[in-house]
Amino acid sequence: MAGDGPIIGNVTDESAYVSEAGLAILIDGFVIEKIGPTEELLSEYSQVEILDLEGKAVIPGLVDSHTHLLWSGDRSREVSWKQQGLSYREISQRGGGIAATVIPTRTASDSELAHLGIERMRESLRNGTTHLEAKSGYGLDTESELRLLSIAEGISAIERLPSLDLTWLGAHAAPMDNSIDSYFEEILSEQLPAVLEQGIARSADVFCEPGWFSVEQSEEILKASRVGGLDLRIHIDEFVDGGGGALAADLKVSTADHAHYTNDDDRAAMHASGVNAGFLPGTPYSMGEEYPPFSKCIENEWAWTIASDFNPNCRTLSLPFIGSILVQRNEIPPIIALAACTRNSALTTPHPSGLVHGQIKEGGIANLNILDGPWWQSWCLQPGHSPFAATMLEGEMIFH
Ligand code: NIG
Ligand code: FE
């Protein structure tokens, strides 16, 4: 693949990114050592173990750059409220939403939460994800947020599961027994210092949305997090244009996610500041709403990604399903949808090895997906089940 930045705009020449059949990939340990014509590599390297993929297509390991991995409970009853026309905010005010997941999460044991996390990572891997960004955010007090990060760190060390990049999202909502304003003070004076002391989270995130954390509160939390050494991410404009895009651009965060109702000036400012727009189309799918403006980003050559946003309100860990929403419902070419959850998303969430991921590239990590047929496009054309015959995870082949 040419270049190293995000793939933006229209891909007029797919051959810049897609190779013809007949190549071989030489893997040494967990690294892609060499890519070249099969005959050439076979004659150069005679003492290697050969895996014949029998003409099946290969794409990079998928990179899910936005998940809420650890929580317990079930909010399925909210579906009838949604169908009665209640908004996300009204559902929260009626006792549903984020705070409704906090109680079962706090009362679940460490091993129950770890078990849920491991099962979800397995499901994610079965759907081709080799790396996930995973947020805390259902503890909503210092002790519970630290506990979620610590459990996530524990399961990140388990082999044969996708790698994790951990984000602290203490500023996700007000807990049931506190107001946003007083919880905000607690976050700054107590929770953030404790998260920094714990040293597990690589990034901080805030749910910046009218009715949750204001632009000013989000700015203060994110600035203090950056002073403490954390990378920054943010949830913005999920339901309305709340001004979070301008803040994301000012702070030059890595990625501003949802970014559904962001105005064009803020989108352009985000792009000029190197800020990715992280679209999460599984959420409007789950809520029966419109999809974000992918095509506008393509026309304007703004950088954007897609991710699962796995959470109690959007219960999919399948990036192929999210890809299908783009390709089969929004007329986005499969190559652009694929870039949005491989090369582009990887740029917002580094692999723990420090190696390039989200691309099939010499010197990059050996994270690959083997399709169940000869056409790479089939990665996003089989919603409802995994299109992959196997996934190579850090050099190790896992057959599904
Ligand atoms: O990104 N909107 C904020 N956070 C999550 C949803 C959390 C929930 O509903 O439990 C999101 O969609
Ligand atoms: Fe989210």
Side-chain angles (χ1 to χ4, degrees):
M1 289 195 172
D4 273 327
I7 295 173
I8 55 174
N10 240 322
V11 173
T12 44
D13 178 16
E14 274 185 7
S15 70
Y17 303 108
V18 181
S19 305
E20 289 298 314
L23 292 187
I25 303 173
L26 180 72
I27 313 282
D28 186 5
F30 53 85
V31 180
I32 298 175
E33 194 66 29
K34 199 160 185 182
I35 303 170
T38 304
E39 292 311 318
E40 261 174 45
L41 256 64
L42 282 178
S43 63
E44 198 176 337
Y45 300 90
S46 49
Q47 303 294 312
V48 291
E49 186 191 332
I50 295 167
L51 190 65
D52 183 355
L53 298 182
E54 296 164 346
K56 295 191 177 76
V58 178
I59 64 169
L62 305 177
V63 176
D64 195 344
S65 52
H66 184 132
T67 77
H68 303 256
L69 187 68
L70 287 184
W71 48 270
S72 182
D74 185 347
R75 303 216 315 257
S76 301
R77 69 170 177 157
E78 291 176 12
V79 69
S80 53
W81 295 347
K82 284 179 206 161
Q83 292 187 338
Q84 286 159 26
L86 267 69
S87 68
Y88 185 82
R89 188 163 183 189
E90 288 164 335
I91 290 172
S92 304
Q93 286 161 346
R94 197 185 257 213
I98 296 168
T101 301
V102 171
I103 296 167
T105 303
R106 283 188 190 165
T107 49
S109 67
D110 287 9
S111 64
E112 281 164 350
L113 286 168
H115 177 76
L116 283 168
I118 291 166
E119 285 305 309
R120 290 167 185 169
M121 288 162 83
R122 286 206 179 109
E123 167 73 3
S124 181
L125 179 64
R126 200 178 65 81
N127 284 284
T129 295
T130 49
H131 175 90
L132 301 97
E133 184 265 3
K135 304 173 197 299
S136 68
Y138 291 103
L140 303 191
D141 64 29
T142 302
E143 188 192 336
S144 313
E145 284 294 310
L146 294 181
R147 183 167 85 106
L148 289 175
L149 288 167
S150 158
I151 295 168
E153 184 189 42
I155 60 179
S156 74
I158 299 174
E159 289 180 3
R160 292 171 65 86
L161 287 178
S163 48
L164 294 183
D165 177 23
L166 301 182
T167 301
W168 164 64
L169 175 60
H172 196 192
M176 313 59 81
D177 50 359
N178 211 345
S179 68
I180 276 276
D181 290 348
S182 120
Y183 182 52
F184 164 71
E185 295 300 336
E186 184 185 315
I187 285 175
L188 285 179
S189 62
E190 184 191 308
Q191 197 176 122
L192 172 58
V195 167
L196 295 175
E197 164 89 26
Q198 185 192 36
I200 291 176
R202 194 189 66 80
S203 308
D205 195 340
V206 174
F207 185 23
C208 174
E209 185 85 19
W212 282 268
F213 290 86
S214 68
V215 170
E216 293 73 25
Q217 289 170 333
S218 304
E219 180 173 8
E220 239 183 282
I221 295 169
L222 290 176
K223 278 186 169 162
S225 300
R226 176 170 275 160
V227 168
L230 299 180
D231 253 31
L232 307 184
R233 318 173 82 83
I234 189 169
H235 286 65
I236 60 162
D237 304 338
E238 179 175 354
F239 308 115
V240 291
D241 178 7
L247 175 65
D250 276 357
L251 293 181
K252 296 188 167 37
V253 303
S254 302
T255 184
D257 293 358
H258 288 294
H260 195 143
Y261 294 99
T262 310
N263 64 72
D264 289 356
D265 287 348
D266 287 356
R267 284 192 197 285
M270 277 166 44
H271 182 73
S273 301
V275 176
N276 173 70
F279 293 134
L280 307 171
T283 298
Y285 173 89
S286 303
M287 302 186 44
E289 288 168 4
E290 295 298 304
Y291 293 110
F294 314 107
S295 300
K296 180 183 277 188
C297 292
I298 296 173
E299 282 155 26
N300 287 285
E301 304 195 332
W302 293 326
W304 58 281
T305 56
I306 50 171
S308 72
D309 193 25
F310 174 75
N311 73 68
N313 185 47
C314 172
R315 293 177 69 166
T316 183
L317 282 156
S318 166
L319 288 171
F321 166 65
I322 302 293
S324 156
I325 295 178
L326 271 80
V327 173
Q328 298 184 301
R329 286 292 172 275
N330 287 274
E331 297 176 7
I332 304 300
I335 189 77
I336 292 182
L338 183 58
C341 58
T342 52
R343 172 159 154 169
N344 292 9
S345 54
L347 292 170
T348 78
T349 172
H351 192 272
S353 65
L355 296 177
V356 168
H357 68 146
Q359 302 183 41
I360 303 178
K361 183 176 170 157
E362 290 177 0
I365 191 100
N367 280 347
L368 309 169
N369 279 308
I370 293 89
L371 271 304
D372 57 7
W375 295 102
W376 63 270
Q377 293 90 334
S378 73
W379 81 271
C380 58
L381 304 179
Q382 307 183 49
H385 79 105
S386 173
F388 302 117
T391 297
M392 176 171 279
L393 182 67
E394 299 179 13
E396 194 177 340
M397 208 60 173
I398 295 170
F399 294 92
H400 298 305

